[in-house]
Structure formats: C-alpha cells, structure tokens
Amino acid sequence: SSVGFNLGGNFGWDQMFNQYVGISLGGHAMSYTLEDAEAVSGSVRIRHKRGDYEGNLGVRGRLPLGSGLELFAQPGIALRMVTVDTTAQPLDADGADKGDALAADTLGESYLTSGWLGYGANFQLGVGYHVFGPLSLAGLGEVNYLLAGSMNQASVASIFPLLGIRAGAEARLDFGFLGATLGYNYTTYSHSATNQNLSQSWTGPYAKLNIVY
C-alpha cells in the first residue's frame, strides 16, 4: 500500500486553574488515502479513503521540582473514530486510470463504507524544563487503552481492546495567560487477538493553544 494523500495534525487546549491543577483537551484529525493495485477481473486500483479522529479530556497536575524542572501527569478519557470509504478504479495496460470507477455490478463490492467509534482510558506523563523567559521544553508519553466501542460492520471482527502509545517532545511559549506549543510525536495503535493482529503508526508535528491561568 502507498499513501496517496495526507492532511491533518494534532490539536489541543490547556487551561491551568493555578500552577498545580488544570484541565487539558487534545487529539488529532487526519484524512488520507491508501492505494492498492490488485488484479480483480483485470487490473484494478483499490482506494481506501480514511478519516481518523481522536480526542482526549483529562485533569492535568503539575509539580514543580526546582531548578526550572516540573513533572506533569494527566489521567482522563479518550474517544477515537475511524471512517473508511473504498472504491475501485480500472487500469489500462500501462497502469493509467481508464475512466470512471467501476460500478458495483461490474466488480461485485466495489464501494464500501465502514467505521467505528472506540472509547477508554487516557493517561499522559511528562517532564518539563523552563529554559528562560516564556520558553519551556518538555518530553512526554501518552497511553490510550480503548476498552470497547461500536462498529457498523457486523462481519468485521472486534478490534478492541486497542492500545495506543504516543511519545514526543515539544517547545512551549507562554505570554501572560496565553501560550502556544509546537511539538513532534510518534504514535502507534495495536490490537492482538487469536485470529487478528492490527498495527498502525505515524509521526508528525502538532500545535496547541495554552490558556495558563
């Protein structure tokens, strides 16, 4: 498979009630297309257009450690929704598209829409360092454990529980009660069962708006 198109990124909002306790909302929104070349009644390209959306809400605690260092932890809840649209495109001998996508009665099931919504626990842990003035640096880790959810395809085996792990580093600028965070992270999701093993990973930048006090 190859990624034909990718758009999206992470988002977030933090609000600290004082220097120790606050709330945090975060997640990601992505849309991308996977393309496969398969021989089904001739040469056919299968495209899977995917939407991937995740959000988490939690209580954030911060503990100053002195010398510009601080520890932060955030327990909360997570939701993840995925939608997939599948289409089939006929190809000529040199691999170029012949024209319109095949009709369902030509290829069988040439168009398929599926999706699922999962929910579970979220926990984040990290350490930050105040460099100078408004600038701080931080390293963080995050775990999502989606226990259950709903799927609109009864024929698809359950993918729950689904374990998500994220790790990254970020730079934060705070100006009074407003601030901004820029970072880079690696995320992976996996599910292991007797007859089904799933894995998905991606890396990329993210940005957050921070309301400090």
Side-chain angles (χ1 to χ4, degrees):
S1 298
S2 62
V3 178
F5 181 70
N6 190 1
L7 176 66
N10 287 49
F11 64 90
W13 169 63
D14 295 343
Q15 180 171 353
M16 300 301 296
F17 303 124
N18 54 49
Q19 72 178 76
Y20 300 108
V21 179
I23 60 174
S24 179
L25 173 68
H28 70 249
M30 295 191 296
S31 176
Y32 51 92
T33 300
L34 299 177
E35 296 186 355
D36 301 323
E38 298 182 359
V40 181
S41 299
S43 183
V44 176
R45 176 181 289 114
I46 308 297
R47 290 190 176 98
H48 311 279
K49 184 178 180 181
R50 183 183 181 110
D52 196 322
Y53 314 96
E54 177 193 310
N56 57 73
L57 176 65
V59 176
R60 173 162 290 201
R62 296 167 63 183
L63 178 64
L65 301 177
S67 301
L69 290 172
E70 73 170 21
L71 182 69
F72 62 87
Q74 179 182 313
I77 58 174
L79 295 174
R80 187 178 181 217
M81 181 176 69
V82 174
T83 60
V84 182
D85 291 331
T86 302
T87 58
Q89 184 74 41
L91 306 176
D92 58 24
D94 60 6
D97 292 345
K98 282 186 175 180
D100 295 336
L102 294 176
D105 57 358
T106 304
L107 190 62
E109 189 65 41
S110 68
Y111 188 88
L112 176 66
T113 300
S114 62
W116 58 267
L117 173 67
Y119 51 86
N122 172 268
F123 183 75
Q124 300 180 31
L125 182 68
V127 61
Y129 175 66
H130 183 220
V131 181
F132 61 85
L135 177 62
S136 299
L137 302 177
L140 58 92
E142 177 181 344
V143 176
N144 284 328
Y145 191 68
L146 305 184
L147 297 171
S150 60
M151 304 179 70
N152 67 1
Q153 276 187 276
S155 61
V156 177
S158 175
I159 60 173
F160 302 105
L162 189 64
L163 176 65
I165 298 175
R166 182 170 78 98
E170 61 186 32
R172 175 171 173 155
L173 291 171
D174 289 324
F175 301 97
F177 68 94
L178 286 177
T181 296
L182 295 176
Y184 197 86
N185 66 175
Y186 167 80
T187 302
T188 181
Y189 271 92
S190 60
H191 168 76
S192 181
T194 303
N195 59 351
Q196 186 180 34
N197 292 288
L198 303 175
S199 179
Q200 179 192 22
S201 301
W202 64 86
T203 60
Y206 63 93
K208 296 178 69 174
L209 173 66
N210 311 309
I211 299 178
V212 185
Y213 315 118

